[in-house]
């Protein structure tokens, strides 16, 4: 069965649109873009489109290449003290600006991406936190299709700070038994074959082949590799779709869920702000 991220995204957004309207939530997202990165512009346009579609205001702060770290910090500080719901500092930023330093200045309760030290520390402690959007999107997708997490053997390939590492903490907090594999892992196929849920987040085209997948398992493909304008995932979908019981397409699986979780986090943050 295909885990249809677009369908689930649309259902989630339609529920959130209704909630925002009926509870009269006044939500504003501030997005800071520094420099001229083309991919970032596309990502921001996409975030803006979905925010507007559910009634969330978006304020964009666009800095040119020559902006200084102080310029960025000044705006973050002003936004922290304002009534705005959430702030995103779009990555990457030009050389000379320390992304981690700047993004860590965002107040944890306004940190839509869930990457500030406080939010990650809460995740580490298993306390309530704002989850990184891709991590939350994967969990919501599993929950939507009623795929059990508690007690399952989960293998995550890729230990990046955006997906693999925080995802391992989040799933551990949900009582999964998690193995985190990476480029130095020996006998990767032997480990992945043991997975009830196999999640690959490496950006290595078709790293996961059919001999690495357990029959009847769930396979989630997070990776994105662009070759000649075409997008490839980490998973050899065509040869695995008949072995796995559940599998995400790529594109069309995790990506749409990530965008939906930006909105989900914003609604959660505005509701918490209002007590
Ligand atoms: P990252 O920080 O570069 O991490 C990549 C991880 O993959 C590393 O842990 C690396 O291992 C591991 N790896 C590389 N080659 C491997 C191999 N041959 N075998 C096993 N592991 C290998 O990347 P990221 O930021 O976490 O993102 C991962 C992928 O997800 C990227 O393709 C990114 O574009 C995609 N992504 C998608 C979404 C979405 O919404 N769909 C969102 C975020 C990211 P080492 O640690 O040993 O180097």
């Amino acid at each position: 069965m295909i885990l249809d991220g677009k369908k689930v995204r649309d259902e989630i957004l339609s529920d959130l649109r209704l909630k925002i309207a009926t509870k009269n939530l006044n939500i504003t997202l501030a997005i800071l873009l520094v420099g001229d990165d083309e991919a970032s512009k596309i990502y921001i346009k996409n975030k803006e489109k979905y925010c507007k579609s559910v009634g969330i205001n978006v304020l964009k702060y666009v800095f040119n290449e020559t902006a200084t770290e102080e310029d960025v910090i000044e705006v973050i500080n002003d936004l922290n003290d304002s009534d705005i719901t959430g702030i995103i500092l779009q990555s990457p930023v030009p050389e000379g600006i320390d992304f981690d330093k700047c993004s860590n200045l965002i107040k944890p309760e306004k940190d839509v991406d869930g990457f500030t030290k406080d939010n990650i520390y809460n995740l580490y402690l298993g306390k309530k936190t704002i989850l990184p959007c891709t991590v939350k999107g994967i969990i919501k997708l599993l929950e939507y299709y009623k795929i059990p997490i508690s007690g399952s053997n989960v293998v995550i390939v890729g230990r990046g700070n955006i997906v693999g590492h925080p995802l391992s903490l989040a799933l551990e907090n949900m009582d999964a038994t998690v193995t985190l594999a990476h480029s130095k892992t020996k006998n990767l196929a032997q480990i992945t074959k043991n997975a009830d849920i196999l999640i690959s987040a490496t950006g290595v085209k078709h790293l996961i082949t059919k001999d690495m997948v357990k029959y009847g398992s769930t396979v989630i493909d997070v990776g994105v590799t662009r070759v000649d304008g075409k997008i490839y995932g980490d998973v050899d979908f065509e040869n695995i779709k008949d072995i796995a019981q559940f599998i995400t397409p790529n594109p069309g699986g995790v990506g749409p869920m990530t965008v939906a979780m930006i909105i989900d986090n914003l609604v959660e943050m505005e509701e918490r702000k209002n007590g």
Side-chain angles (χ1 to χ4, degrees):
M1 182 178 200
I2 301 291
L3 302 177
D4 187 345
K6 285 187 184 169
K7 182 184 133 198
V8 183
R9 170 199 65 198
D10 289 345
E11 281 186 27
I12 289 173
L13 290 184
S14 140
D15 290 349
L16 291 173
R17 188 180 301 116
L18 189 67
K19 191 183 221 179
I20 291 168
T22 45
K23 292 193 165 183
N24 211 5
L25 297 174
N26 184 10
I27 305 179
T28 304
L29 166 66
I31 305 179
L32 281 68
L33 171 67
V34 193
D36 223 21
D37 184 69
E38 285 308 318
S40 292
K41 286 185 193 165
I42 296 169
Y43 292 141
I44 289 179
K45 217 171 162 186
N46 208 28
K47 289 171 191 173
E48 213 179 345
K49 176 177 123 188
Y50 285 104
C51 281
K52 287 187 173 159
S53 78
V54 296
I56 292 178
N57 312 305
V58 178
L59 292 180
K60 277 191 297 183
Y61 294 81
V62 181
F63 301 83
N64 60 34
E65 287 287 328
T66 58
T68 64
E69 199 168 273
E70 289 69 37
D71 296 333
V72 177
I73 290 173
E74 193 182 332
V75 172
I76 291 176
N77 286 338
D78 285 350
L79 290 167
N80 275 337
D81 293 337
S82 76
D83 202 34
I84 215 144
T85 316
I87 305 168
I88 291 177
L89 173 61
Q90 186 67 42
S91 162
V93 292
E95 256 179 58
I97 296 181
D98 183 338
F99 179 82
D100 289 341
K101 177 181 165 192
C102 292
S103 66
N104 257 314
L105 293 172
I106 296 172
K107 275 189 183 166
E109 62 271 28
K110 291 182 193 270
D111 168 27
V112 186
D113 282 331
F115 289 133
T116 54
K117 282 181 190 156
D118 288 25
N119 283 326
I120 289 293
Y121 188 54
N122 280 337
L123 179 61
Y124 169 74
L125 293 178
K127 288 187 175 171
K128 192 159 173 53
T129 187
I130 294 164
L131 277 179
C133 297
T134 305
V135 170
K136 196 177 192 184
I138 292 167
I139 291 170
K140 289 258 180 178
L141 197 58
L142 292 170
E143 287 177 340
Y144 181 92
Y145 285 96
K146 302 197 170 16
I147 296 163
I149 294 174
S150 173
S152 291
N153 276 335
V154 177
V155 175
I156 301 170
V157 188
R159 56 179 164 182
N161 289 333
I162 295 177
V163 190
H165 207 181
L167 182 62
S168 72
L169 294 170
L171 293 175
E172 224 171 72
N173 290 340
M174 298 176 78
D175 299 324
T177 304
V178 182
T179 305
L180 190 54
H182 46 78
S183 68
K184 309 289 186 299
T185 299
K186 288 182 185 158
N187 304 322
L188 183 62
Q190 217 172 308
I191 293 167
T192 56
K193 245 196 130 116
N194 220 2
D196 302 315
I197 302 174
L198 172 60
I199 304 170
S200 188
T202 69
V204 179
K205 180 187 162 192
H206 292 187
L207 172 71
I208 307 297
T209 49
K210 69 174 182 185
D211 53 307
M212 298 169 81
V213 174
K214 178 164 90 172
Y215 188 82
S217 63
T218 296
V219 179
I220 308 276
D221 187 357
V222 189
V224 177
T225 311
R226 283 187 178 82
V227 183
D228 297 330
K230 194 168 181 265
I231 290 179
Y232 294 90
D234 286 4
V235 173
D236 179 9
F237 178 88
E238 279 309 316
N239 290 307
I240 293 177
K241 67 180 190 320
D242 297 327
I243 301 173
Q245 187 183 357
F246 297 101
I247 184 165
T248 55
N250 192 349
V254 175
M257 294 300 295
T258 299
V259 179
M261 290 307 110
I262 293 175
I263 314 240
D264 197 72
N265 274 351
L266 281 163
V267 171
E268 200 179 308
M269 287 153 73
E270 183 64 26
E271 284 187 309
R272 269 198 230 171
K273 195 171 105 189
N274 298 337

